[in-house]
Amino acid sequence: MNMKTEQPQPAGKTADIESGNQKLYPTMLEDPKLLRWTFIRKVYAILTMQLLLTIGVAVVVATVHPIGKFFLSTWPGFVLSIVFLVLPLLVLCPLFIYHHQHPMNILILCLFTVSIAFSVGICCLLTSWRVILETSILATVVTISLTLYTFWAAKKGHDFKFLGPFLFVSLLVLLIFCLIQIFHPLGKLWVMIHGCLGTILFSGYIIYDTDNLIKRYSDEDYIWASVGLYLDAINLFLSLFNIFRVS
């Protein structure tokens, strides 16, 4: 059996993580070049742009009265709101196919983000600004806290890969719950229950996808990694929004 020993670091010197010669965390077994800080910064830069675009579009939809009236009071507006609701699901397929091909991946990502932003803006038309502000603050605090926790836990050697099957099954149950609520409304109490379950589920997904970002995504998967984290943040916001909206 061949035994390898690590060469000690010279005193007074630290390893350069961004150079790709050092693993992001000492417990990781994957190729360190796939886990450089530059890749993580790129993903969070794209995610920040997505969230800012979402906020901008949603604010315009919710504050410009003619736009809100168009979506809430006209038949074409209602049809268009359904289109914006379904479009992200349709765009996910080409986004997955072209997520390695620049600039096609950026263009599809923009379309994906804008369609979700319009849906969020239409949801915000249905409630007060106080509810929107409280939801936004709480969603931001939860997202940042869980992200920092996951980075800390990964540094300590913890792995959250085991959450994948449980989160997937929980997501299917939540989708079935949502379909039942759409076709057979169950009342405000069940809306709050749905919101609480969604909050727990997507909080788990933030931990799981952040752990994948640190350990498993390759340096070419920056678009797909940002999409996963973006959906986690948006769905967490919408779940909290349902709780505050009916409370």
Side-chain angles (χ1 to χ4, degrees), residues 27-168:
T27 57
M28 295 179 184
L29 302 177
E30 292 84 357
D31 185 354
K33 293 183 179 180
L34 305 181
L35 303 169
R36 293 177 300 177
W37 280 106
T38 50
F39 166 71
I40 295 177
R41 285 201 299 264
K42 180 187 290 186
V43 171
Y44 279 112
I46 295 173
L47 177 62
T48 301
M49 293 299 104
Q50 288 181 274
L51 293 175
L52 290 177
L53 180 59
T54 301
I55 293 171
V57 173
V59 167
V60 170
V61 172
T63 56
V64 178
H65 183 69
I67 297 178
K69 185 177 180 180
F70 171 75
F71 281 111
L72 294 180
S73 305
T74 65
W75 177 252
F78 174 76
V79 174
L80 191 58
S81 64
I82 298 299
V83 171
F84 283 129
L85 188 63
V86 177
L87 186 60
L89 300 177
L90 301 178
V91 173
L92 274 178
C93 182
L95 183 60
F96 178 75
I97 295 173
Y98 295 105
H99 73 279
H100 287 164
Q101 300 183 22
H102 184 81
M104 182 64 70
N105 54 3
I106 299 297
L107 296 176
I108 300 176
L109 182 66
C110 289
L111 177 61
F112 175 79
T113 304
V114 169
S115 60
I116 291 182
F118 269 99
S119 297
V120 173
I122 294 170
C123 290
C124 292
L125 289 171
L126 305 175
T127 189
S128 65
W129 281 105
R130 180 184 64 84
V131 171
I132 297 172
L133 182 61
E134 290 174 350
T135 305
S136 301
I137 293 174
L138 184 56
T140 301
V141 171
V142 171
T143 301
I144 293 176
S145 300
L146 292 175
T147 299
L148 294 176
Y149 165 75
T150 308
F151 272 86
W152 173 84
K155 189 173 183 179
K156 294 295 183 180
H158 299 289
D159 196 330
F160 297 100
K161 185 179 180 180
F162 71 93
L163 290 176
F166 299 101
L167 293 174
F168 179 73

Side-chain angles (χ1 to χ4, degrees), residues 7-27:
Q7 296 297 327
Q9 292 289 339
K13 293 184 178 181
T14 59
D16 184 4
I17 294 177
E18 294 188 9
S19 67
N21 297 322
Q22 175 75 12
K23 293 182 179 180
L24 184 60
Y25 293 106
T27 57

Side-chain angles (χ1 to χ4, degrees), residues 224-237:
W224 204 243
S226 64
V227 167
L229 292 171
Y230 173 74
L231 288 175
D232 297 340
I234 292 298
N235 282 299
L236 175 64
F237 171 83

